[in-house]
Structure formats: C-alpha cells, structure tokens
Amino acid sequence: MADLILAIDQGTTGTTVLALDPDGQIRGRAYREIRQYYPRPGWVEHNPEEILRSVTTTAKRAIAVARAGAGDVKAIGITNQRETFVVWERATGRPVHRAIVWQCRRSSELCALLRQREREVAERTGLTIDPYFSGTKLKWLLDENPRLRARGASGDLCFGTIDTWLIFRLSRGVAFVTDYTNASRTMLMNLKTREWDDSMLQMLGVPREMLPAPVSSRGPLAEAAAGTIVSRAVPIGAAIGDQQSALFGQGGVNAGDSKSTYGTGAFLLMHTGEEMARSRTRLVTTSALGPDGQPAYALEGSVFIAGAAIQWLRDGLRLINRAAESSALARKSRDRTQPYLVPAFVGLGAPYWDPDARGAIVGITRGTTREDLVRAALDSIAYQVTDVIDAMRADTGRTINVLRADGGASENDYLMQFQADVLGCCVRRAKMTEATALGAAMLAGLAVGVWSSPEELASLRKAGKLFRPRMGAEERARLLGGWREAVARVRTSAGQK
C-alpha cells in the first residue's frame, strides 16, 4: 500500500474522512452525521464528545475502506468548521458546556452593545462585530457563568475552536494549539501580529490563560497518540479552517484567486497575497495561505444559509425526498421572479450583517407551485453569492473572470449554471468537490515529505466542468433587482445602518 494522508474534514452537519494516496486519489472515504441541538430559537449547539467520536470512528472506517494498515498512514490533516468552539477542563479534557456553533445567534444583544467599536475591532482583527465569530459568544458564556471565567483565569479551563479541541484530545492533552486561520475567526487575534490581542481580550473579558498557542497551519503540529486512530502515533501535519483549506485545495494561493464553497453555508474568499485588504463593504479580512502554506491574507464573505436551504425543503417542508431532486424540479418552474426566497433563518451574513433579519418567501400567488419554491431556494444561494462577489469587486477593483466552486451543493448543475448567469462570469467546478479535505491533505503531505513542492501539488488539482454565462444583461439586472427588493423586506433597522 502506498503512503496515505488522512484528511479529516469536521463540518457543521457531519465529519468526512478521506484517505488519499500520493497521486491525490481517494483510496477510502467515510462520513458520519452529527446531531444539531437547538435549545432556543436562533441557538445552535453540538456535543463535543460526539464530534470527537465521529472523527475517530470515521477515520478508522476510511482506513478500513482503503484496506490500509497502521503503517500506511503517514500523516493527518485536520480541517474544520471554524467559529464553533468548546470550553473544557485542562486536566480531564471534559467539556463544561456543549460546543457553541458558528450559526448560533445568542450574542446578538452583546454585539449590538459593542457596535460603536466596530472600526477598532476591524482594525485589530479584520472582522466585523457579529455573533458569527467566536469571541462574543465566549463572552456570553463567561458572563452567564462567572465561575468559568475564574477557572479560565486560573488555567483550569481551555478554550478552542474545533481544530484545537481535536488536537488536544487526539494528542491526549499534549498539544494545545490553534492555527492562524482558525484563530483569525475568534475576534481575539490581532491579524497583523498573529498573536492574541490584549485590547480584544479586555473588551470581551477573556482570560489569556485559557487560550491555545497560535501556530502556522502547516506543521507537523502534534501527534495523534497511539490507539486514538491507529495503533501507532501519527503526525498531525496540518490544521486549517475549512474555507481557507478549500481555497488552498483549489489552488487559490496568489492574489486575485477566488473561490466559493457551497456547503451548509456559502463561503467566498479572494486571496490578497501579503496585503491586508480593508473592506468598505463590510466584508472581513482573514488569514489565508501562500503556495508553500506560508501565512497570507484574503477577503471573505460568508453566506449563512446555502445548502441548508435545500435541507430545509427536505426536512422542514418535506417538498423533496433527496437534495438531488432539486435540480430537475427547479427546471420545471415557470417564472423565475415568482417567488423569491430570502433564507435568513439565522440572520443575514455578508455583506449585510443583520443578525436579527428573518427569512421570508416574497411574491407568493395562488399559482405558486412546489417547483417554484424549490427553484427559489436554489436561486437564493446564487443571489447571495453574487452579493458577496459584487462587494469584493467594489473593494478590490479586480475583475473575476472565473469563480472556482466546490462543496456538496456545487454538484447541482442547475445552481452552477444560474450562478454563472447572475454573476456574468464563468464558474469552474472542481473535479474533486471535496476541496476542503484536499487542502488539508496537501498541507499535511507537504509537512511530512509526501509532496516536496507547490509544483507537485498543482498536478493534484483537477479542474471540472466549466459553466459559462448565458443570460443577457437586461434579464440579469431585472432578476437581481427583484432579489434586492426581497432582501430589503426582511432587513431590520439595525442591519441597515
């Protein structure tokens, strides 16, 4: 058996593990869903121990599918849902609370109180003030449980995003680290120095003693201890936030490279090289990677509900039995302007940043059909991505000729064609739509010498289908105008400031 890299992709709704060989071929794959908890409207939580179990059991399953042994696994790369965090006991590894998920809006009131300091926060962290990012929700947790803050200050408790949680537990408490890309999403790290920012820690009341050490995404960072995944210790060669991993996996390593990952949400990054581009349109500045995995910067816009809208059609409304049905049903819809779905189920993300907005279906008539609603849900994904791309164009003055696309929903041909149409530019779907896992595998392989150069990595990235725009400018403007009118109806006064 050839050397294998184990790519662990711990996502919002489940964990995927790929076992890849040096040619970038998938030898084994496994997936396991994780449960979502909704204790109150707008609150979202996970069970940290279930996340850990999903990683270990799925990793073992992927190795078994690959018919590999312990000696075949040369390194592990971890990529993860970013802003979701865990607080746990340093001595025992026991969580003191469920993981609070990036989608959770419980700190909306705190964010409103801090809004007047948004310029300072953006200057230090690159971020806007929104419940999406970990910091205000950590403040909420410590305010609600003052004893946790005291225990954090004494060093008894650890805070970490999912990369930190997994590395700590897989290393059996030896390693307490986070990579720059995940740290950049906490609202606690200074984006220039790549260190925890004293002013932000004071603003949010977070003890420095409970924070992990920020490190480069490319390691090796630690070892997964013998018995956690296989019978011997295995280097953890990389850890990286899922969207930066997808950008790297798609070859977005130079200024101007752009990608959109269509998963539960949709996440767009434009690489800006060594320049920290400051947004005038309320996008965020975040960490990215250069060709060798070295730190760099990107602009990012986050759409909170993308593929989750299709899940809602399936699980909530029961309009479809499988997500794959949506493409054929959407093509049967008769009028693209009736209705519009604005899926602000957990507020609106970039470029609106309106945590209190709620979803709506606008323009329903007696003639509205099941097919119309399915089409409106798919179209809403493309419209939201277009809003972010337009903001990136305005911020950078760059023309985007081709948008790289990956993620599960990118496999929907109807969605990809409509995306190209409303953007007015080509959309290139990755041949391996699991670009998030591929990016983590590439970094881990570089770290342990499975691949020796960026040029070797380039040969692993295979382009898939190209979607060219077919829509006229007049129709594009008409459709986007209707979409923006629908968005205006759901926005709150706070979100429109």
Side-chain angles (χ1 to χ4, degrees), residues 453-495:
S453 69
E455 290 72 28
E456 280 192 74
L457 297 184
S459 67
L460 305 180
R461 299 178 176 115
K462 309 295 184 184
K465 185 174 180 178
L466 182 69
F467 296 84
R468 302 179 185 274
R470 301 188 300 220
M471 184 180 290
E474 184 176 337
E475 183 180 3
R476 183 181 303 120
R478 180 174 65 90
L479 293 176
L480 288 170
W483 162 253
R484 283 160 188 160
E485 287 179 12
V487 170
R489 295 193 187 194
V490 309
R491 295 187 65 192
T492 64
S493 57

Side-chain angles (χ1 to χ4, degrees), residues 134-181:
S134 314
T136 59
K137 287 181 287 198
L138 177 59
K139 175 175 170 56
W140 176 92
L141 180 62
L142 300 180
D143 287 349
E144 287 288 305
N145 302 271
R147 187 166 174 267
L148 295 184
R149 180 174 278 116
R151 293 185 67 191
S154 71
D156 287 348
L157 297 183
C158 298
F159 159 86
T161 44
I162 296 300
D163 61 315
T164 304
W165 164 246
L166 293 177
I167 292 171
F168 185 91
R169 290 295 298 270
L170 290 174
S171 70
R172 296 204 170 117
V174 172
F176 184 41
V177 297
T178 185
D179 91 293
Y180 296 140
T181 66

Side-chain angles (χ1 to χ4, degrees), residues 171-215:
S171 70
R172 296 204 170 117
V174 172
F176 184 41
V177 297
T178 185
D179 91 293
Y180 296 140
T181 66
N182 278 288
S184 73
R185 313 300 294 186
T186 61
M187 205 185 289
L188 301 173
M189 189 185 84
N190 187 297
L191 201 57
K192 293 179 182 176
T193 65
R194 300 187 177 93
E195 297 289 344
W196 302 121
D197 187 284
D198 288 332
S199 293
M200 292 308 305
L201 299 187
Q202 183 178 7
M203 184 188 301
L204 298 176
V206 174
R208 180 181 287 272
E209 292 80 2
M210 67 188 301
L211 301 180
V215 297

